[in-house]
Amino acid sequence: MRTVIAGAGPTGLLLAGDLAAAGADVTVLERRAGESNLTRAFAVHARTLEQFDARGIAEDVIATGTKLARLRLFGRVSVDLGGLPSRYPFVLITPQYNVERILEERALKAGARIVRGTTVTGLRQDEHGVEVRTDGGTFAADWLVGADGAHSGVREALGLPFPGRAAVRSLMLADVRLADPPADVITVSAVGSAFAFVAPFGDGWHRVFAWNRGHQVGDEVPLEIEEVRATVREAFGTDFGMGECRWLSRFHSDERQVERYRTGRVFLAGDAAHVHSPAGGQGMNTGLQDAANLGWKLAAAGAGWAPAGLLDTYQSERHAVGRTVLRSSGGLIRLALLSSRGARLGRDVLGGLALHVPAVQRGLTGTVSGIGIDYPHAPRQADVDLGGARLYELLRQGRHVLLAPEAPQGYEDRLLHAPHERRVLVRPDGYTAWAGTQGDLAVALRAHLGEPR
Ligand SMILES: Cc1cc2nc3c(=O)[nH]c(=O)nc-3n(C[C@H](O)[C@H](O)[C@H](O)COP(=O)(O)OP(=O)(O)OC[C@H]3O[C@@H](n4cnc5c(N)ncnc54)[C@H](O)[C@@H]3O)c2cc1C
């Protein structure tokens, strides 16, 4: 099976590694000629770390960052991640380029090819395959995945609209050194017309987001560090000794989602399929979960055992999650940027009170961390100690895992069996495909894994 992936961002790199590890022929086409050391996302949430655990790279990623057990959302309202029912009850703060480097190393080691300096410009598909056109020639593939970001060339080539709206204009972003950084690990404040957010990367650099209601301009208007400094001062009463700046940009945040994640042999994933506000740090994490959902399904189709309709569950499962993320991150940014002092006070008091209700706290931490995200017929499967190995260690084989007293015959190429008193079939992406009784097992295996060999 030949798969072409457009875009070597986090989404494309995770998918490339998964497909190559499953034995597929994978080529990643990346427009940028070189590496990027600019960081956009910096939060890796618990469910993403679980996916990394299922690939044996969680500890490598964790070693690059700082763990935070509390995530500040707005004002004085924060959520406590320490109680998450996960091996990773925290959010990891690390620059996106660290995640990309580890995912790229894994993909290359598994045999994926990455072709840099090549832009996807068009495509043609029929029932047999896809012809991928680029500025450097044509590539033939069985499947094409557009993981080529918010301005996706693949989405454009499909002629798909990207409906939605502009959410916030004139956000300022700066990566700076602070001589006198705030004591809190993530610090947020809104005073008058100014809003600012400061988070440490853990290596001496800090990420600052700033926004000033009184100065709303287009992305093309040049940004000087003085404007960021003045807004941070207005919000916090200090600029924390803001010094050297390595990255400065003005951007706007849209909320958009494509209606169809699959068009024949072409799929969209990550920012190519959905964009939303940076509040809650959901962007990169959602793209990585898209890739984890799609990878094993494409691998199953390539290996020839995918049950009918399996590839279409990518749309039904991930589009719904994308819509939820658009809503939650949009709600968070609107709460963070409330205009009146009274409304902000009400938000802080009510938000603080609501978070004392355990169900509210659980709901919010579950959504933000991804731990609470289930698919309609496939809830998240927590890690289980199987005496000798953990479930997520077994998932590193990229196959389904069957926890059951007896081992079934004929599925050895797509299934690992682990002795257990219950009967649970776990998908390679850590969701439960089926749980039931011995009498139903053979039918369930056929439904989820096709005919035995
Ligand atoms: C300023 C800013 C701040 C952000 N902050 C956060 C944050 O705090 N937390 C968070 O979770 N997310 C954040 N995000 C979003 C996050 O960076 C993205 O959600 C994430 O990078 C998406 O990954 P991706 O792989 O889907 O797309 P991308 O990372 O955009 O990767 C797409 C890749 O495709 C390549 N490409 C584009 N077009 C083509 C083409 N036609 N052919 C071939 N290659 C192509 C691009 O060069 C790029 O390398 C931020 C984004 C921005 C812009």
Side-chain angles (χ1 to χ4, degrees):
M1 176 182 79
R2 285 166 307 172
T3 306
V4 168
I5 297 170
T11 306
L13 291 171
L14 182 83
L15 183 63
D18 283 5
L19 289 170
D25 176 317
V26 185
T27 304
V28 183
L29 305 175
E30 167 55 50
R31 183 177 58 193
R32 275 184 287 118
E35 308 280 317
S36 160
N37 70 343
L38 294 181
T39 191
R40 297 188 291 159
F42 56 90
V44 182
H45 284 297
R47 186 59 176 146
T48 305
L49 290 170
E50 291 185 344
Q51 293 293 355
F52 289 164
D53 186 19
R55 289 158 180 81
I57 53 172
E59 294 309 320
D60 294 344
V61 174
I62 290 170
T64 67
T66 309
K67 297 177 191 174
L68 285 191
R70 187 163 272 281
L71 186 62
R72 194 167 284 231
L73 296 175
F74 47 77
R76 282 185 292 278
V77 176
S78 58
V79 288
D80 180 8
L81 301 167
L84 278 175
S86 169
R87 191 177 173 82
Y88 307 102
F90 52 84
V91 53
L92 184 79
I93 303 299
T94 190
Q96 181 167 329
Y97 54 73
N98 284 331
V99 175
E100 289 181 10
R101 178 177 48 78
I102 291 167
L103 291 175
E104 178 172 333
E105 282 168 11
R106 168 178 178 261
L108 291 174
K109 213 161 127 193
R113 268 184 310 281
I114 301 179
V115 183
R116 294 192 179 276
T118 302
T119 302
V120 173
T121 53
L123 65 92
R124 205 166 58 90
Q125 62 168 323
D126 59 25
E127 67 272 30
H128 304 296
V130 194
E131 186 184 284
V132 186
R133 299 188 186 130
T134 78
D135 54 358
T138 299
F139 292 76
D142 297 301
W143 307 103
L144 167 65
V145 181
D148 50 347
H151 305 288
S152 169
V154 173
R155 191 183 65 229
E156 198 181 313
L158 289 170
L160 293 179
F162 202 26
R165 58 180 177 158
V168 193
R169 288 180 76 210
S170 211
L171 275 162
M172 296 173 269
L173 184 159
D175 281 359
V176 292
R177 289 198 185 274
L178 301 176
D180 188 16
D184 269 6
V185 190
I186 284 188
T187 311
V188 189
S189 182
V191 171
S193 57
F195 165 88
F197 166 105
V198 181
F201 284 123
D203 60 357
W205 289 98
H206 285 74
R207 159 67 47 92
V208 175
F209 279 116
W211 183 78
N212 196 328
R213 186 182 315 282
H215 188 61
Q216 293 287 294
V217 293
D219 294 355
E220 70 292 349
V221 176
L223 176 62
E224 300 292 336
I225 190 68
E226 277 317 314
E227 189 180 336
V228 179
R229 194 194 302 276
T231 306
V232 170
R233 250 195 222 128
E234 188 179 337
F236 288 106
T238 167
D239 66 9
F240 303 111
M242 196 178 290
E244 192 187 345
C245 173
R246 67 175 174 183
W247 190 27
L248 194 59
S249 82
R250 197 192 297 280
F251 69 107
H252 66 280
S253 156
D254 282 1
E255 289 171 0
R256 300 186 183 280
Q257 187 181 23
V258 77
E259 283 299 326
R260 278 162 45 198
Y261 279 28
R262 176 186 185 185
T263 306
R265 295 182 161 271
V266 184
F267 296 81
L268 293 171
D271 275 18
H274 45 74
V275 291
H276 43 80
S277 98
Q282 301 291 299
M284 178 175 74
N285 292 277
T286 308
L288 290 167
Q289 297 295 341
D290 289 347
N293 185 288
L294 181 58
W296 69 270
K297 294 175 183 174
L298 273 181
W305 61 258
L310 180 67
L311 284 176
D312 288 328
T313 63
Y314 173 63
Q315 160 83 22
S316 55
E317 294 183 341
R318 294 307 302 170
H319 184 276
V321 172
R323 203 173 47 222
T324 304
V325 172
L326 248 71
R327 279 205 202 111
S328 61
S329 68
L332 285 176
I333 196 98
R334 279 184 273 281
L335 282 171
L337 302 182
L338 279 176
S339 59
S340 91
R341 208 161 155 244
R344 287 202 297 264
L345 195 66
R347 169 202 69 187
D348 287 1
V349 171
L350 290 177
L353 283 175
L355 285 170
H356 279 102
V357 179
V360 174
Q361 174 82 232
R362 258 199 318 278
L364 198 55
T365 53
T367 304
V368 170
S369 66
I371 292 294
I373 293 181
D374 295 322
Y375 301 130
H377 303 290
R380 163 185 166 266
Q381 171 65 55
D383 199 9
V384 183
D385 194 341
L386 298 166
R390 292 183 294 112
L391 171 63
Y392 275 61
E393 288 171 338
L394 297 186
L395 289 173
R396 292 174 191 172
Q397 305 265 340
R399 291 186 242 172
H400 280 68
V401 174
L402 177 68
L403 308 180
E406 62 282 322
Q409 302 297 308
Y411 289 102
E412 292 75 9
D413 58 331
R414 59 208 107 142
L415 183 73
L416 276 179
H417 168 247
H420 200 264
E421 70 273 17
R422 289 182 58 213
R423 288 180 186 80
V424 182
L425 180 62
V426 184
R427 307 187 335 187
D429 59 355
Y431 290 83
T432 303
W434 168 86
T437 61
Q438 185 179 13
D440 300 333
L441 179 59
V443 174
L445 289 176
R446 273 202 171 78
H448 292 282
L449 299 174
E451 292 300 317
R453 293 259 180 263

